[in-house]
Amino acid sequence: MTAPLHQSPAGELFDLSGRTALVTGASRGLGQAIATGLAGAGADIVAASASQATAGSKTQRLVESTGRSFTGIPCDFSSRADTYRLIEQLRDRDRPVDILVNNAGTIRRTPAALHPDEDWDHVLEVNLTAPFVLSRELAGPMIDRGNGKIIFIASVLSYQGGITVPGYAAAKHAITGLTKALANEWAGTGINVNAIAPGYMATDNTEALRSDQDRSRALLERIPAGTWGAPHDLVGATIFLASAAASYVHGTVLAVDGGWLAR
């Protein structure tokens, strides 16, 4: 007889064995750490991004070192057609996606008065439209099964405007609204929709900031923890939101930011 959830051992609450997780943007950085962390908790991984190799990638080696299976699928999320091709490939698989982590993202840095349409369109397609389309299309089977986890990667710029990144800030603000909107509709179906808002992480997206000594110093002085975050800092929050431990958590945005938003 299975014990009630609140009586389950702590390890069982966070056990993802038998689950399949789709992590977008998992070829490096935050997505790679998230994919490896979910695998360590027992999930098999499907990774999709524009630079994702079908075989032989570092992410594959890291995932398979945990004993879990790995599938790599190239997908350019700036192309709506490519996003739909990914969805069709997922539908052809024997095992459904139980956990969706919408992590793939991009950033274009140009002052707002000079920000070209193509930069705006590109960022919103990758950072907002593709995550919505994936969530909408994968939610149907989750609703039918009565269970699923959808996790968006938001940002501290879901709450602030940033500098010279109008498209990124707009998309990340929208992601928090989308998280809440989908949670309102799907919480009663057994799907948990939540988001994580990383702070300033040492990834490709922040390379320009970290290489600017004055800007980097100013940012670090504002972060109570006093350091840049690392991709592995998101692993615990992701496993929590993907697990049974978060079964009554809906529509929340969990900041992992070294205290940035508390200032």
Side-chain angles (χ1 to χ4, degrees):
M1 181 176 178
T2 303
L5 188 60
H6 68 280
Q7 295 177 5
S8 300
E12 291 183 12
L13 286 175
F14 298 95
D15 184 8
L16 303 180
S17 297
R19 302 289 184 178
T20 296
L22 169 62
V23 183
T24 68
S27 62
R28 60 186 183 274
L30 302 183
Q32 186 175 84
I34 287 169
T36 306
L38 291 174
D44 294 313
I45 303 298
V46 179
S49 70
S51 59
Q52 182 61 60
T54 56
S57 68
K58 180 179 179 181
T59 306
Q60 178 176 0
R61 293 194 298 273
L62 290 169
V63 167
E64 291 181 347
S65 73
T66 70
R68 309 316 308 166
S69 70
F70 176 87
T71 302
I73 304 176
C75 180
D76 180 0
F77 291 107
S78 69
S79 163
R80 191 79 53 90
D82 233 29
T83 300
Y84 277 107
R85 277 193 291 272
L86 170 63
I87 291 164
E88 290 304 313
Q89 288 177 273
L90 294 171
R91 286 173 176 160
D92 290 340
R93 287 173 51 83
D94 293 335
R95 293 175 59 187
V97 172
D98 303 291
I99 302 160
L100 168 61
V101 182
N102 285 303
N103 167 75
T106 190
I107 195 165
R108 297 285 176 88
R109 298 182 184 277
T110 313
L114 303 173
H115 207 79
D117 288 354
E118 53 267 29
D119 281 6
W120 175 270
D121 292 342
H122 179 83
V123 170
L124 264 69
E125 185 69 34
V126 174
N127 292 11
L128 178 60
T129 302
F132 170 67
V133 170
L134 278 175
S135 300
R136 182 191 65 202
E137 296 300 314
L138 295 182
M142 290 180 179
I143 290 170
D144 292 341
R145 297 193 304 274
N147 184 274
K149 307 285 186 178
I150 297 175
I151 303 168
F152 292 96
I153 301 301
S155 170
V156 292
L157 291 193
S158 295
Y159 302 94
Q160 300 169 327
I163 299 171
T164 72
V165 289
Y168 184 86
K172 292 302 185 179
H173 273 69
I175 283 293
T176 61
L178 181 60
T179 298
K180 296 170 185 177
L182 298 185
N184 286 343
E185 291 196 38
W186 296 340
T189 72
I191 300 176
N192 296 82
V193 184
N194 293 289
I196 298 171
Y200 285 88
M201 299 282 167
T203 65
D204 292 351
N205 275 359
T206 61
E207 185 175 357
L209 296 177
R210 288 182 288 116
S211 62
D212 182 331
Q213 291 186 0
D214 292 338
R215 182 82 171 114
S216 179
R217 186 183 306 108
L219 289 169
L220 290 175
E221 287 173 351
R222 191 192 184 284
I223 299 171
T227 62
W228 290 85
H232 64 75
D233 290 320
L234 295 190
V235 171
T238 307
I239 292 173
F240 166 63
L241 292 176
S243 73
S247 62
Y248 200 60
V249 179
H250 296 277
T252 195
V253 182
L254 176 57
V256 181
D257 65 350
W260 175 274
L261 291 175
R263 290 293 286 266

